[in-house]
Amino acid sequence: MLQKCEGIVIRTTDYGETNKIVTLYTREFGKVGVMARGAKKPNSRLTAVTQLFTYGQYLFQASTGLGGLQQGEMISSMRAIREDIFLTAHASYIVDLTDKVTEDRKSNPFLFELLLQTLNYMNEGYDLEILTNIYEMKMLNVQGLYPILDRCANCGSTEGEFHFSIKEGGLICHRCFERDPYRFKIAPGTVKLLRLFYLLDLNRLGNISVKPETKAELKKVISAYYDEYSGLYLKTRKFLDQMDSFRDML
């Protein structure tokens, strides 16, 4: 049966001399794997529409295993992302994270919209680090992870000074600091942004200006939380960290 979908290319794997296995994240069906025969040939009509990050309309032959990609029509090539190594590093991590935490054929239109909007913002030149942090925070629920960000994870208080505790799984107030001597001592602004990123409707993202020291605190907390609870060890995350270090040196 032929099926039509709106999708984003989140992974490609060469198969033989001329073919590609393409993983699409689609609005209608969630994550779908398709065989794109001849897509590695330069004159193939499937070459352009099967490049990583491409957003388009796709028609594929459904089957119990890999589907067969019949045709595609590009909506956006996300060209700016592919032409800049720092953009590529962040976008590669975003699509890899999506690939690793989603199941095949499980539709999630909200997640599709989140991925599309994040890539669009990256392509348009919005702050890469902030977009990546927002995406990471929003992907926690998809993984069944629910950090406590609206109150103290220990006593439940909503008033006072807060730090972040990996051990307690969220914010802890000054009354409970002694419960975790290894807590992250973060500024009030970082606490607010962690909450905002977790809850924010990305379509309402304005120009968020964040100081470098706040960005450093956000990255440290989010990375440590992922390391402790997600069970993910992504090569794209390691590459992204290397690129960020390289950019800081420049």
Side-chain angles (χ1 to χ4, degrees), residues 22-250:
V22 179
T23 304
L24 300 170
Y25 197 80
T26 73
R27 188 186 296 277
E28 295 83 357
F29 311 112
K31 188 168 68 175
V32 175
V34 292
M35 176 68 76
R37 297 196 177 277
K40 287 171 66 182
K41 295 179 180 178
N43 59 347
S44 169
R45 56 192 170 81
L46 297 179
T47 301
V49 295
T50 55
Q51 292 189 74
L52 195 61
F53 314 127
T54 300
Y55 164 49
Q57 294 277 2
Y58 296 90
L59 187 69
F60 66 96
Q61 184 76 41
S63 81
T64 51
L66 277 178
L69 186 61
Q70 302 299 308
Q71 64 187 64
E73 183 180 342
M74 187 185 293
I75 298 172
S76 172
S77 68
M78 303 289 176
R79 181 178 173 183
I81 291 175
R82 282 204 300 273
E83 291 180 346
D84 182 289
I85 192 166
F86 296 108
L87 280 163
T88 299
H90 280 267
S92 295
Y93 171 59
I94 290 298
V95 296
D96 192 23
L97 179 58
T98 307
D99 187 23
K100 294 299 190 292
V101 305
T102 54
E103 299 173 33
D104 289 346
R105 294 281 181 153
K106 192 169 182 181
S107 176
N108 187 335
F110 165 78
L111 180 52
F112 174 83
E113 201 59 46
L114 177 66
L115 175 61
L116 176 59
Q117 189 63 274
T118 302
L119 291 174
N120 275 331
Y121 279 144
M122 286 183 172
N123 198 55
E124 292 165 13
Y126 280 68
D127 190 305
L128 287 173
E129 294 159 290
I130 295 304
L131 285 170
T132 301
N133 288 159
I134 292 172
Y135 198 84
E136 287 175 312
M137 291 300 290
K138 292 198 163 296
M139 289 298 281
L140 291 174
N141 288 3
V142 179
Q143 300 170 73
L145 300 173
Y146 303 92
I148 298 168
L149 300 169
D150 60 344
R151 63 191 184 280
C152 176
N154 182 52
C155 73
S157 175
T158 57
E159 301 292 330
E161 181 186 354
F162 289 92
H163 289 168
F164 195 92
S165 169
I166 299 299
K167 176 187 166 190
E168 298 292 330
L171 298 173
I172 55 172
C173 72
H174 63 277
R175 303 167 196 84
C176 303
F177 282 171
E178 75 278 356
R179 289 187 63 87
D180 184 4
Y182 303 105
R183 68 191 183 276
F184 288 101
K185 299 172 184 178
I186 55 177
T190 306
V191 172
K192 287 179 182 176
L193 285 174
L194 284 169
R195 288 175 179 153
L196 177 66
F197 292 175
Y198 190 63
L199 299 170
L200 176 73
D201 177 355
L202 198 60
N203 288 312
R204 301 178 66 180
L205 180 69
N207 288 319
I208 298 178
S209 180
V210 180
K211 295 183 290 187
E213 53 268 33
T214 305
K215 284 185 178 181
E217 288 186 347
L218 287 166
K219 182 178 179 180
K220 191 179 290 184
V221 167
I222 295 170
S223 295
Y225 190 87
Y226 262 79
D227 288 347
E228 181 68 24
Y229 292 109
S230 75
L232 297 171
Y233 299 96
L234 306 181
K235 290 180 181 177
T236 49
R237 173 80 248 184
K238 191 174 180 181
F239 177 66
L240 177 56
D241 289 342
Q242 290 170 343
M243 292 305 301
D244 284 345
S245 297
F246 179 61
R247 182 172 54 189
D248 291 342
M249 286 167 58
L250 293 176

